[in-house]
Every structure is written in structure tokens, then in C-alpha cells.
Amino acid sequence: MHNYLIEMLECPVCHGELAWTVTERRGNRIEKAEAHCVACAATYPVREGIGLFLTPDLPRNDLWEQVDSQLVQYLRENPEVERQLLDVPLDTLAPADQFFRALALEERGEYAQAKAAKDLANTGLYTPEHLACSDSQVNYVLGLLSASDGPIVDLASGQGHLVERLAHRLDRPIIATDFSPRVLQRDRRWLEFFGLYDQVSLLAFDARYTPFKNGAIKTLTTYLGLPNIEQPGDLLQELRRIVAGTFLAISHFFPEKDEANAAIIRQAGLSALLFRRSALEHFSSAGWQVDVANVCQAKAHPTPRSALLEGAGIDALPVAETTLEWCVLVAH
């Protein structure tokens, strides 16, 4: 993490001041340190350049860690499947298996080949309209951000789809965040390989209890990140506390009359942010003023499952063909 973040951060539990002990630096970066809360005595380490501000009291389900570790273990135990996944021409694999090949190549540090596999997989996993709408939203956000300055905090960055595009196009500090230290470690290696790491900091925290001071963030972004936060509760109030400027949330919404998908969404407790009307109501009740921008429609279907890894799939939704409404929520 970069040095400038120290002035933006506080204890995520009690909002107390942090006292920093830095033991390793690299230029303007902190590689190893501990931050001690002077009010509640909680300690937050920085390891491998990643600030770890996770609190112990919130339930979390690290799906990336589960998928990565299970895939590596399964391939280790099944060398014939590993050979079929990695040693055949990429275009002979099913789209889901192209995606799993990308994950396996990442684990080996073969990032160029992993990117090629992932790019090809996406064309088979998603409809052309889906990919076009997604790209349109990212370009819209990039256009808005090109006219401003200062650090950009990206929420629930995951594998860094938006962070990578931001780092390519904008000469601005970027803070990639996720509650999974494992995915942030992956992001660091990926960004280093592609020469994009210099402007990026990495913070691990739960979006429901962030380590930012009141109004510390001028620009907050997310790419489909909000519905991935389990039991969101007062999430939008917490984000309202830390954002003094603009929140650009790339989102897509399911039709409320789409009963097949709506039933699964409600069962999973995701209805608050995956239906347009509900999402806008929740933003409004948290004190945000929201414009819905750059709207486009895209057909979406259930992503195909693996032909090599029995029962393995990519996305839980949709479970039936539908039409998604893509947009950017521009919140102030």
C-alpha cells in the first residue's frame, strides 16, 4: 500500500486513530507494518504490501479461495484431468474449462496464457450483448473519471476487471479492495506482470466495516460488486459515511417479473441490490442521490458448465435465460 493511505485510514471497529509501525518500505510503498488502534488496541498488519483491515465479527464466505484451492487439489489428485485441461489446444475446450484453465495457469504464474484463456472463455460463457453492455459501462465510467483527479477506491474488486482498465487508462492512484487477501495477492502478481502495479494499492477489508475516515474518499467505484457482499445490512450507510464525492457503481438488474431467477435471488437474500426499484430505494434511504446512467439491455443465459470437472460451473445466476438491464448508478 502507498504511504498516502495512512492519512485516509482509521480503525474499522471503533473509528479510533491508528498508530503505525512500519518495518519495511519500498520507495513510496509500505510493504510490512502494523497499525495499532489507540482507542481499542486492535492491530492491523500490512503483509506483502497488502493492508489487512478485516474484523473478526462478521461472517464471510471466500468463494475465490475455495475455488482456487479446490481446483488445485483436484488437478493434483487427478493428473489425467489436468492433462486434458492444460495440454490440449485451448479452442478445443468447453468455455467453462477454458476459464478453469485460466485459473490453473494463474496459479502457475503463466499470466499471459491465462489472460488469453480467460478472454476466449468469456466469448463462450456470455452473450455478445452481455459483453458489449459490460464494456460500455466500463468505458462510461472511464469517461467520467478522465475529467477528475485524486485517488480512486474500487470496492469489492475481485479479480480486478475494473481496476485493470482504470490502471491502463488513467494516470491516477487506485486502491483495489476486497475481503479476500488471497484474491488481492493474485491481483498483485497479475498487475506486476502486466506493468500496472505502480499506481495501485491493495487493501483487504469488509465493506460493511471499512477502515476509511469520514469523507476520506472522493471517488468510489465498483464493478458488479455490491450484490456479492453477504448480509449487506447497513452497507450503503457505511459507504455514505466514507464518500465525500461520487460513487460510480456498475450494476445490472434482473426483471422483477422474471420468476425463475427472482425466486433464487430472493432465496439467496440478494433482492435488495439486484432489482432496480429496490436498489434505488435502498440508496435513497441511505442518503444518496442517484442518477441511472448509460442504460442498455442484454440477453443473458445460464453459463455453460464444465465438461471435465464434474458439476463445476462459473456463475450462480442467471438460472434461466433473461434480459439484464445494465447501467451505471451515479451516486452523490
Side-chain angles (χ1 to χ4, degrees), residues 9-21 34-45 53:
L9 298 175
E10 65 182 14
C11 175
V13 175
C14 75
H15 305 296
E17 181 182 350
L18 297 174
W20 289 80
T21 303
E34 284 192 342
H36 304 274
C37 177
V38 300
C40 72
T43 298
Y44 306 99
F53 290 88

Side-chain angles (χ1 to χ4, degrees), residues 47-50 52 62 65 68 106-107 111 158-159 176 178 180-193 197 202-204:
R47 298 186 185 124
E48 300 178 69
I50 302 172
L52 302 172
D62 192 338
E65 184 167 2
D68 280 355
E106 282 185 28
E107 189 68 24
Y111 297 111
Q159 290 199 309
D178 204 272
S180 171
R182 182 181 178 91
V183 81
L184 291 175
Q185 290 168 347
R186 173 266 174 204
D187 289 345
R188 173 172 179 164
R189 295 191 297 268
W190 182 276
L191 292 166
E192 284 177 330
F193 180 85
Y197 184 57
L202 303 169
L203 291 182

Side-chain angles (χ1 to χ4, degrees), residues 55-75:
T55 58
D57 57 328
L58 293 177
R60 305 177 185 92
N61 188 19
D62 192 338
L63 296 178
W64 281 117
E65 184 167 2
Q66 292 176 29
V67 170
D68 280 355
S69 59
Q70 290 173 5
L71 177 63
V72 170
Q73 181 178 349
Y74 182 84
L75 295 179

